């Protein structure tokens, strides 16, 4: 009888899904950015794919906060910028990481974040140099956006001291101040067509300021690449504008079960249309070999999925 009970126990243990009674928190960003609507879409996708798990979405200050929360086990999957992810793995304190975040594991390289410097047209700002003496918002303190701002302005031979006023605000708050003529420009790092800029462009004329290739090269970080904001991305933007971009990643931590990460990875790629419906930035998420490449180790659950698809050996 004892042997039967023991055998039954083993069978039940094997049959029980790894994600039974599991909690999965999706760490995103501010509600006016791109991470949040994509996180809400992932919530719906995961809820169907992992029906026994309780899925929640959490608005955050984005990349840096998300990575620190994952390291502390206070979230299971998160969005982050690639340069922030690299800094977290190295433990760069000046980037917001007091020590190496060694529990982080990659799930997928997704879409690029475009560094979009948007100015009120009547401010007269047309180039990076024109920002000197102006009122500029650089993103929430030590957010991925703000780290991008430091890198770009430094590469252009500028610092925050060159501005008449520097504000450290999330996207929506920055746009509100621009509407009220209390700011001249803001730097936003997000997918194309970010809601905050669309909103601003419908209420006043804007200029999308170019970030030239030579400035991007001077950043000295391979995470930064040259991209273009296509004409017509925002109301009144009649010409394509060169800028910098940094790839985004979905990241988890080593303590999340392999079966759960496999299920999340598979479900995302099988429902890319749901993500695209949530935000156009998701059109650039593709199931390809580059998706498995990251500045940190790949989670075994994601690795299993990519191997099944023939993208990894």
């Amino acid at each position: 009888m004892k042997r039967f009970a023991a055998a039954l126990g083993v069978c039940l243990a094997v049959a029980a899904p790894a994600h039974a009674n599991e909690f999965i928190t999706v760490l995103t960003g501010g509600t006016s950015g791109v991470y949040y609507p994509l996180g809400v879409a992932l919530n719906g996708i995961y809820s169907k794919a992992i029906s026994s798990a309780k899925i929640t979405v959490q608005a955050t200050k984005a990349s840096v906060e998300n990575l620190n929360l994952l390291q502390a086990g206070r979230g299971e999957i998160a969005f982050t910028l690639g340069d922030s992810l690299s800094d977290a793995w190295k433990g760069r304190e000046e980037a917001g990481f007091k020590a190496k975040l060694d529990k982080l594991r990659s799930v997928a390289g997704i879409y690029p974040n475009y560094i979009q410097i948007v100015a009120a047209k009547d401010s007269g700002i047309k180039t990076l140099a024109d920002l000197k003496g102006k009122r500029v918002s650089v993103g929430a303190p030590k957010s991925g956006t703000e780290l991008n701002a430091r890198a770009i302005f430094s590469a252009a031979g500028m610092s925050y001291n060159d501005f008449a006023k520097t504000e450290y605000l999330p996207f929506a708050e920055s746009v509100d101040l621009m509407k009220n003529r209390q700011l001249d420009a803001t730097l936003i790092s997000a997918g194309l067509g970010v809601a905050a800029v669309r909103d601003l462009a419908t209420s006043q004329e804007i200029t999308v300021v170019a970030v030239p290739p030579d400035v991007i090269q001077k950043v000295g970080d391979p995470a930064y690449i040259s991209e273009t904001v296509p004409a017509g991305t925002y109301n009144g933007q009649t010409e394509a504008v060169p800028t910098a971009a940094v790839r985004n990643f979905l990241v988890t931590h080593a303590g999340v079960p392999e079966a759960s990460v496999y299920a999340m990875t598979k479900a995302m790629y099988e429902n890319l249309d749901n993500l695209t419906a949530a935000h156009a930035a998701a059109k650039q998420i593709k199931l390809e070999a580059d998706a498995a490449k990251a500045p940190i180790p790949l989670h075994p659950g994601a690795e299993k999925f990519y191997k099944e698809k023939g993208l990894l050996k």
Side-chain angles (χ1 to χ4, degrees):
M1 190 71 174
K2 288 181 180 179
R3 288 181 181 176
F4 174 76
L8 180 61
V10 170
C11 289
L12 289 173
V14 171
H19 40 68
N21 302 316
E22 187 178 358
F23 291 86
I24 295 174
T25 299
V26 184
L27 303 172
T28 59
T31 55
S32 61
V34 178
Y35 288 172
Y36 187 79
L38 291 184
V40 172
L42 281 180
N43 182 321
I45 292 168
Y46 294 163
S47 294
K48 292 178 181 177
I50 315 172
S51 57
S52 58
K54 179 175 175 56
I55 321 289
T56 57
V57 176
Q58 183 175 328
T60 67
K61 293 178 182 176
S63 300
V64 177
E65 182 180 10
N66 288 352
L67 296 171
N68 281 313
L69 286 171
L70 281 180
Q71 178 73 12
R74 293 169 57 194
E76 283 65 49
I77 194 157
F79 292 85
T80 181
L81 277 165
D83 56 338
S84 296
L85 183 57
S86 180
D87 288 340
W89 190 249
K90 295 171 185 172
R92 287 187 63 230
E93 189 168 358
E94 62 270 30
F97 308 105
K98 294 181 179 179
K100 176 178 178 175
L101 305 193
D102 58 353
K103 296 178 183 177
L104 300 179
R105 297 293 183 269
S106 178
V107 173
I110 44 177
Y111 65 93
N113 252 29
Y114 290 73
I115 295 170
Q116 301 163 71
I117 302 175
V118 182
K121 193 166 187 178
D122 59 13
S123 70
I125 297 169
K126 295 179 180 179
T127 67
L128 288 173
D130 293 337
L131 291 166
K132 293 180 179 180
K134 302 295 185 180
R135 302 164 297 174
V136 182
S137 176
V138 295
K142 291 191 175 179
S143 62
T145 291
E146 202 255 317
L147 294 178
N148 290 165
R150 287 180 184 273
I152 292 297
F153 293 136
S154 176
M158 300 165 61
S159 74
Y160 294 167
N161 292 332
D162 290 311
F163 306 142
K165 186 178 184 181
T166 304
E167 295 281 4
Y168 299 84
L169 297 169
F171 303 166
E173 286 88 338
S174 299
V175 164
D176 285 343
L177 287 185
M178 288 186 71
K179 286 180 180 178
N180 294 329
R181 309 297 177 178
Q182 293 174 279
L183 268 184
D184 300 304
T186 182
L187 183 146
I188 289 177
S189 182
L192 289 177
V194 63
V197 181
R198 287 205 316 269
D199 176 36
L200 178 65
T202 58
S203 64
Q204 67 184 75
E205 290 186 292
I206 65 167
T207 299
V208 180
V209 181
V211 179
D214 63 312
V215 171
I216 298 166
Q217 189 174 7
K218 288 175 184 175
V219 172
D221 185 335
Y224 288 76
I225 59 173
S226 291
E227 276 289 354
T228 301
V229 181
T233 299
Y234 300 108
N235 188 46
Q237 182 208 338
T238 58
E239 296 181 357
V241 179
T243 194
V246 179
R247 197 172 199 191
N248 287 285
F249 289 84
L250 274 177
V251 185
T252 185
H253 64 78
V256 180
E258 180 178 330
S260 297
V261 175
Y262 172 84
M264 287 191 284
T265 309
K266 184 173 187 289
M268 181 190 76
Y269 283 114
E270 289 180 349
N271 293 278
L272 289 178
D273 54 337
N274 291 33
L275 291 178
T276 301
H279 201 283
K283 290 178 181 177
Q284 293 174 286
I285 303 176
K286 295 178 174 61
L287 180 55
E288 57 189 12
D290 279 352
K293 297 176 182 177
I296 66 169
L298 193 62
H299 191 285
E303 183 178 8
K304 178 183 176 182
F305 174 77
Y306 292 124
K307 283 182 175 178
E308 281 185 359
K309 294 297 180 181
L311 299 175
L312 285 177
K313 293 182 180 179

